[in-house]
Amino acid sequence: MVKKLLPYTKGYRPWIALGIACSAMDAIFQLLIPLVMADIVDIGVANADASFIVRKGFLMVIMAAVAMVFGLGSAASSARAGMGFGANLRTAEYARVQDFSFSNIEKFSTASLVTRLTSDVRVLEMTLMMSMRLLVRAPVMLVAALVLAVRLSSQLSRVFLVAIPLLMIFVVLVIKRVGPLFRQLQEKTDDVNLVVQENLTGIRVVKSFVREAYEKEKFSKRNNSLRETSEKAFGAVVVNMPLMMLIIYGTIIAVMWFGGKMVFAGTMEVGGLTAFFSYITEILISLMMVSMIFMMMSRSIACAKRICEVLDEVPSVTDAQAQTGASVESGSVDFENVSFRYNDESAGWVLEDVSFHIPTGSTVGILGSTGSGKSTLVSLIPRLYEAQQGTVLVGGRPVADYTMEHLRDAVSVVLQKNTLFSGTIRENLLWGNPDATEDQLLAACRSACADEFLDRMPEGLGTDLGQGGVNVSGGQKQRLCIARAILKQPKILILDDSTSAVDTATDAKIRDAFRRDLPGTTKLIIAQRISSIADADLILVLDKGRVVAQGSHEELMKTCDIYQEVYLSQQEGVSIGG
């Protein structure tokens, strides 16, 4: 795992090296101070030599100042390295997510991906920062203090033979306990984030159904579960501190007992015992630092595994088979015995043995009941999903021959769930063509019938839409998304039930605009209303993942029972409504 994460320290390794060096020098200077203090007691105080005491005291001040400078250097370097490492890791994760196909994204919940990009990375940042300052400082202090303590009194140093093993046993037991809990802690955080995200995204639905109490209860359950897991994890960590302090103070008492006898017997100087106390404190504090680092590492390992799951996820759709320079020359679409399912272990197919040909520039309607595979079918054209069997061709070539950039640049999709981003109307429309002029933007809005409400907007194209387009209605949002797609001037335009929120008159105007403004573009329209596709050149009727009929409106009215039933039911509805 370290090997996987090490590349993301690139650019900050000099800071890591500097921080480690500063931490080591800080430890060395702090270890030298007790030796000077011992000289002051044993020589200066014993001989009443004021000048000696002043000289050594001034030396201690200088050493403390130097140690402080190195300590500040260590803190600054570790902060820079930790934040840089975290930024590199977040960038890599985000870039990997951008490469995911829909099937990859579906393996992780949105809330989990957010947690892995934020909370999990933050834990690794803190671990690196603390490791640079403590994981170097603590071993240096521990080894050096042990050597100096043994040098002062090998007999008195025997207390460490009991204290250090006890400390290590406690640390191992606690780490074994908290390791699995930290993994659960991050998963519980995912659950809480998921509830919050769903609630805020669907706040209008929550309020319209008066389900605030239900949502509060759901949040409370997951929040309490997170709290209980946190209490277990951090409770085990907290228990570690008093146990270690018990061992530390017990060791100090033992040193006082045996050391006092040695001083009384004249086998040890008072200054030496004072220095020994300093070293024993440094040794035991160093062990506490090491244990704290191990605790942090237990959590960071859990977070690192979650991050690596994202980084190691192999995109299911790649450019591996793409031919260099291949570009989409025309908007023809062919499906040749195509079958698809979302999961390779699934028993049934979502689409099965689908075949049809769509000439360039034609308008195709797609009709079918809910779950018949309409959205899945059009998602295979820009390779949002990859067919397991058969071949999807665009412009006479398999879609895998194109790079995803070239293919998707030639295909404009208005999905079933319309998405606008925070910012102005102009900024959202420019997604279709970043170089579009004001006249082109207004022309696209007229084609999508968005000009009808655009004139009423306070600042026209400069109107801020708010997060997710909350300042516009569903029908207005659909028309802005259509305008954005038109601006792209694609070879293929896919409308996935994208006019469901507009009236039939506006729907007809939009279709007329398609014929007028996009004559060479192949248009695929998924619709529930037959009136939206009756004038299409070709209509595909899907049922249970199969194309059960295809032809014009007139042909299907004669040959397809499903089409006839839908048409008659809608006509009856119109009659009743009239």
Side-chain angles (χ1 to χ4, degrees):
M1 192 174 299
V2 174
K3 288 182 179 179
K4 290 180 181 178
L5 299 178
L6 189 61
Y8 303 105
T9 60
K10 187 177 181 180
Y12 296 92
R13 290 170 191 169
W15 291 104
I16 294 175
L18 179 61
I20 290 173
C22 287
S23 183
M25 293 304 295
D26 177 26
I28 289 170
F29 273 94
Q30 289 199 35
L31 286 168
L32 294 174
I33 291 175
L35 293 176
V36 179
M37 183 176 65
D39 288 342
I40 292 175
V41 174
D42 292 339
I43 300 174
V45 175
N47 299 326
D49 189 342
S51 62
F52 181 86
I53 294 173
V54 170
R55 288 197 308 274
K56 291 292 185 178
F58 185 66
L59 179 60
M60 285 181 66
V61 171
I62 292 175
M63 294 171 72
V66 172
M68 182 186 70
V69 170
F70 280 120
L72 290 173
S74 173
S77 299
S78 63
R80 192 177 185 92
M83 295 300 105
F85 167 68
N88 286 345
L89 201 53
R90 275 191 297 272
T91 300
E93 270 195 277
Y94 190 77
R96 174 60 73 180
V97 171
Q98 295 301 307
D99 289 336
F100 285 173
S101 67
F102 282 9
S103 59
N104 292 119
I105 293 173
E106 287 161 4
K107 291 183 180 179
F108 308 92
S109 70
T110 303
S112 179
L113 286 173
V114 171
T115 305
R116 293 168 197 244
L117 276 161
T118 53
S119 175
D120 289 2
V121 172
R122 182 61 180 163
V123 170
L124 293 188
E125 286 177 349
M126 294 302 298
T127 301
L128 178 61
M129 291 168 60
M130 296 298 290
S131 297
M132 285 175 60
R133 299 184 64 185
L134 300 182
L135 202 56
V136 175
R137 174 190 171 90
V140 169
M141 295 278 282
L142 178 62
V143 174
L146 272 171
V147 171
L148 292 171
V150 171
R151 182 181 172 188
L152 282 171
S153 175
S154 59
Q155 184 178 356
L156 198 56
S157 299
R158 293 172 185 171
V159 294
F160 297 132
L161 297 176
V162 177
I164 292 177
L166 280 176
L167 282 171
M168 297 304 294
I169 290 171
F170 281 128
V171 169
V172 170
L173 290 175
V174 172
I175 290 175
K176 189 175 180 180
R177 163 73 174 160
V178 301
L181 290 175
F182 281 133
R183 175 79 184 192
Q184 293 177 27
L185 180 64
Q186 297 308 112
E187 291 172 353
K188 299 295 183 183
T189 304
D190 289 347
D191 292 341
V192 171
N193 287 343
L194 180 60
V195 172
V196 173
Q197 179 197 3
E198 286 181 341
N199 186 273
L200 294 178
T201 303
I203 190 65
R204 297 187 180 187
V205 178
V206 173
K207 290 187 176 297
S208 65
F209 281 88
V210 197
R211 298 290 282 175
E212 291 92 342
Y214 172 78
E215 286 295 313
K216 287 179 182 177
E217 182 182 355
K218 186 167 70 172
F219 175 81
S220 179
K221 286 180 180 179
R222 300 201 181 185
N223 192 39
N224 287 335
S225 180
L226 174 60
R227 174 183 56 78
E228 291 169 2
T229 305
S230 300
E231 287 174 353
K232 290 178 183 178
F234 292 108
V237 173
V238 170
V239 167
N240 181 58
M241 186 61 68
L243 289 174
M244 296 194 73
M245 294 305 297
L246 177 64
I247 295 173
I248 288 173
Y249 288 126
T251 305
I252 290 173
I253 291 171
V255 170
M256 291 177 67
W257 175 262
F258 294 111
K261 287 186 175 182
M262 292 172 68
V263 170
F264 184 77
T267 57
M268 191 174 188
E269 298 290 338
V270 174
L273 182 60
T274 304
F276 196 93
F277 275 124
S278 297
Y279 289 135
I280 193 172
T281 303
E282 294 289 355
I283 290 167
L284 296 174
I285 288 177
S286 297
L287 286 171
M288 288 179 62
M289 289 180 182
V290 172
S291 71
M292 186 167 64
I293 288 293
F294 281 133
M295 300 297 173
M296 289 187 64
M297 283 186 172
S298 295
R299 186 178 185 186
S300 68
I301 287 171
C303 294
K305 286 180 179 177
R306 286 159 50 85
I307 291 171
C308 287
E309 285 173 359
V310 177
L311 296 174
D312 293 341
E313 178 71 14
V314 179
S316 60
V317 180
T318 67
D319 291 333
Q321 300 177 36
Q323 298 180 10
T324 306
S327 59
V328 180
E329 300 296 336
S330 70
S332 65
V333 178
D334 292 274
F335 274 54
E336 296 179 351
N337 308 113
V338 172
S339 295
F340 171 82
R341 55 188 170 196
Y342 292 108
N343 192 321
D344 290 336
E345 284 74 39
S346 299
W349 296 95
V350 178
L351 294 173
E352 187 173 2
D353 197 25
V354 174
S355 297
F356 57 80
H357 169 70
I358 300 175
T360 301
S362 59
T363 300
V364 177
I366 303 175
L367 185 74
S369 60
T370 301
S372 60
K374 303 184 299 296
S375 297
T376 303
L377 184 143
V378 296
S379 295
L380 297 178
I381 297 172
R383 292 187 76 197
L384 299 178
Y385 291 106
E386 193 86 284
Q388 284 92 354
Q389 294 181 13
T391 307
V392 179
L393 300 96
V394 169
R397 304 181 69 164
V399 289
D401 284 358
Y402 305 107
T403 63
M404 281 179 280
E405 182 180 0
H406 282 138
L407 176 64
R408 292 173 184 174
D409 194 47
V411 180
S412 218
V413 183
V414 183
L415 295 171
Q416 197 169 22
K417 183 179 179 181
N418 299 288
T419 301
L420 294 172
F421 298 89
S422 56
T424 64
I425 292 176
R426 179 182 291 103
E427 290 169 344
N428 273 273
L429 292 177
L430 288 174
W431 276 61
N433 179 7
D435 301 319
T437 64
E438 198 81 357
D439 289 341
Q440 288 174 320
L441 294 175
L442 293 173
C445 289
R446 283 194 295 272
S447 296
C449 296
D451 59 323
E452 296 177 3
F453 64 86
L454 195 61
D455 295 337
R456 301 194 299 272
M457 290 291 181
E459 297 179 41
L461 291 173
T463 302
D464 194 289
L465 291 172
Q467 184 177 358
V470 295
N471 297 332
V472 291
S473 68
Q476 291 171 340
K477 187 184 294 187
Q478 282 188 337
R479 282 178 275 178
L480 287 174
C481 290
I482 292 171
R484 181 174 63 190
I486 291 172
L487 272 169
K488 198 173 179 181
Q489 290 294 303
K491 294 285 195 306
I492 300 171
L493 175 63
I494 297 172
L495 301 171
D496 187 354
D497 205 13
S498 304
T499 57
S500 58
V502 301
D503 58 84
T504 53
T506 302
D507 184 14
K509 289 179 183 178
I510 293 173
R511 285 184 281 112
D512 287 338
F514 288 158
R515 282 190 290 269
R516 182 181 65 252
D517 299 335
L518 300 171
T521 297
T522 303
K523 297 164 279 289
L524 287 83
I525 304 172
I526 295 176
Q528 300 296 332
R529 295 186 299 225
I530 285 184
S531 60
S532 297
I533 57 174
D535 57 352
D537 302 310
L538 176 68
I539 299 173
L540 304 177
V541 181
L542 270 69
D543 184 44
K544 297 179 181 178
R546 290 178 174 271
V547 176
V548 295
Q550 53 182 300
S552 65
H553 171 72
E554 291 76 15
E555 291 170 345
L556 293 174
M557 285 296 295
K558 296 176 182 177
T559 60
C560 182
D561 293 339
I562 295 176
Y563 192 82
Q564 293 169 12
E565 289 174 7
V566 174
Y567 177 78
L568 291 173
S569 65
Q570 292 181 3
Q571 290 300 109
E572 288 174 4
V574 171
S575 299
I576 294 171

